[in-house]
Amino acid sequence: MGKIIAIANQKGGVGKTTTSINLAASLGVLEKKVLLIDADPQANATSGIGMDVESVEIGTYQLLEHSHAPKDAIVKTDTPNLDIIPAHIDLVAIEIELVDKDQREYMLKKALVEIKDDYDYIIIDCAPSLGLLTLNALTAADAVIIPIQCEYFALEGLGKLLNTIKSVQKIHNKELDIEGLLLTMYDSRLRLSNQVVEEVQKHFNDMVFQTIIQRNVRLSEAPSYGESIINYDAASKGATNYLSLAKEIINKNA
């Protein structure tokens, strides 16, 4: 049985897509079979893994519409053991189109039933909002990872997200777990970074991953080359951090 993990936070710029791409690639390198689903209309995970967004004909939009079989939307990537279901800008329209549909929150869950067992992990890169797309991802997921950047407004909006997760657990998906809170963009030289780490660890204890993702130039550069950090610079601090996170998740689910 594959485990579906949504990477969610309604705040933009917290490292959601970076985490989705590089966690998926790291799990692949560690010999797990992984599917990355781009559920963000900005399609950054699609371009960040080296696909031309404009050329996407079957992707997350068709998956949610149930107009194609999920297998038709899967594309192999250059990273070992990693496939992707890409996104296109037309994904913007899906929220409006799903509004009148019965069981609109379950569209992704239903679509993934037939491919769930083909993978060890399915990673969903969520949109930076709490709309229908993210709701579909949380309803389909077994667990959610919440990236939190080590900056001043880090905890702002976190309460709202946790409340959304609670209501999804209550109404749509009783099985949904919080896999963990992931501290990102950490700079050990900044007092503020260290304060945020302390505060998050104090409030959330065991819910926080031991791995902390540090600020890393190579990590920021990799998407512009359409590569995961593993392909771009396997010796970088960013690659080491994400491999460590992948191992932590594998051990947790062993």
Side-chain angles (χ1 to χ4, degrees), residues 100-243:
D100 305 329
K101 293 250 171 87
D102 268 350
Q103 297 215 302
R104 55 180 184 259
E105 297 91 352
Y106 297 91
M107 291 307 201
L108 187 58
K109 188 184 180 88
K110 286 177 184 166
L112 294 181
V113 166
E114 63 187 79
I115 55 170
K116 188 173 179 181
D117 292 344
D118 300 344
Y119 294 93
D120 297 309
Y121 291 96
I122 296 177
I123 306 288
I124 307 174
D125 183 30
C126 294
S129 76
L130 295 177
L132 251 183
L133 267 173
T134 301
L135 194 53
N136 260 277
L138 293 174
T139 302
D142 300 304
V144 56
I145 290 174
I146 304 169
I148 299 172
Q149 84 281 41
C150 297
E151 283 166 14
Y152 185 65
F153 292 115
L155 298 176
E156 198 181 68
L158 186 60
K160 202 170 174 188
L161 178 60
L162 292 172
N163 284 338
T164 301
I165 290 168
K166 267 196 196 114
S167 69
V168 170
Q169 285 166 329
K170 210 178 339 192
I171 304 163
H172 305 297
N173 182 1
K174 290 182 174 56
E175 312 298 301
L176 182 65
D177 272 334
I178 293 177
E179 188 77 10
L181 276 63
L182 176 68
L183 291 156
T184 62
M185 304 179 192
Y186 173 72
D187 185 340
S188 58
R189 297 164 305 181
L190 299 179
R191 202 167 97 215
L192 180 63
S193 265
N194 293 306
Q195 283 173 339
V196 171
V197 170
E198 271 175 41
E199 202 171 321
V200 171
Q201 287 173 338
K202 190 174 78 190
H203 278 293
F204 297 102
N205 306 327
D206 300 343
M207 282 168 69
V208 188
F209 284 109
Q210 284 170 343
T211 303
I212 294 175
I213 309 298
Q214 291 162 292
R215 270 197 189 282
N216 178 241
V217 175
R218 307 296 277 169
L219 204 49
S220 317
E221 289 171 355
S224 60
Y225 292 91
E227 290 184 344
S228 70
I229 191 64
I230 306 294
N231 285 17
Y232 182 63
D233 185 353
S236 67
K237 200 180 275 180
T240 309
N241 288 167
Y242 276 108
L243 279 165

Side-chain angles (χ1 to χ4, degrees), residues 83-104:
D83 295 345
I84 184 169
I85 292 182
H88 184 275
I89 189 66
D90 61 8
L91 196 53
V92 167
I94 200 76
E95 303 228 340
I96 299 155
E97 289 173 29
L98 288 181
V99 160
D100 305 329
K101 293 250 171 87
D102 268 350
Q103 297 215 302
R104 55 180 184 259

Side-chain angles (χ1 to χ4, degrees), residues 17-92:
T17 302
T18 303
T19 296
S20 301
I21 292 172
N22 295 309
L23 172 59
S26 299
L27 287 165
V29 167
L30 295 170
E31 299 185 345
K32 298 293 177 191
K33 209 162 177 307
V34 188
L35 175 65
L36 174 62
I37 299 177
D38 192 347
D40 181 353
Q42 294 172 56
N44 290 339
T46 302
S47 59
I49 206 84
M51 275 190 77
D52 173 19
V53 174
E54 293 306 315
S55 69
V56 173
E57 285 176 15
I58 305 172
T60 314
Y61 180 83
Q62 287 74 17
L63 196 68
L64 285 158
E65 261 201 336
H66 295 185
S67 60
H68 287 74
K71 284 188 168 65
D72 298 340
I74 294 170
V75 181
K76 285 214 160 317
T77 73
D78 296 337
T79 303
N81 302 315
L82 176 61
D83 295 345
I84 184 169
I85 292 182
H88 184 275
I89 189 66
D90 61 8
L91 196 53
V92 167

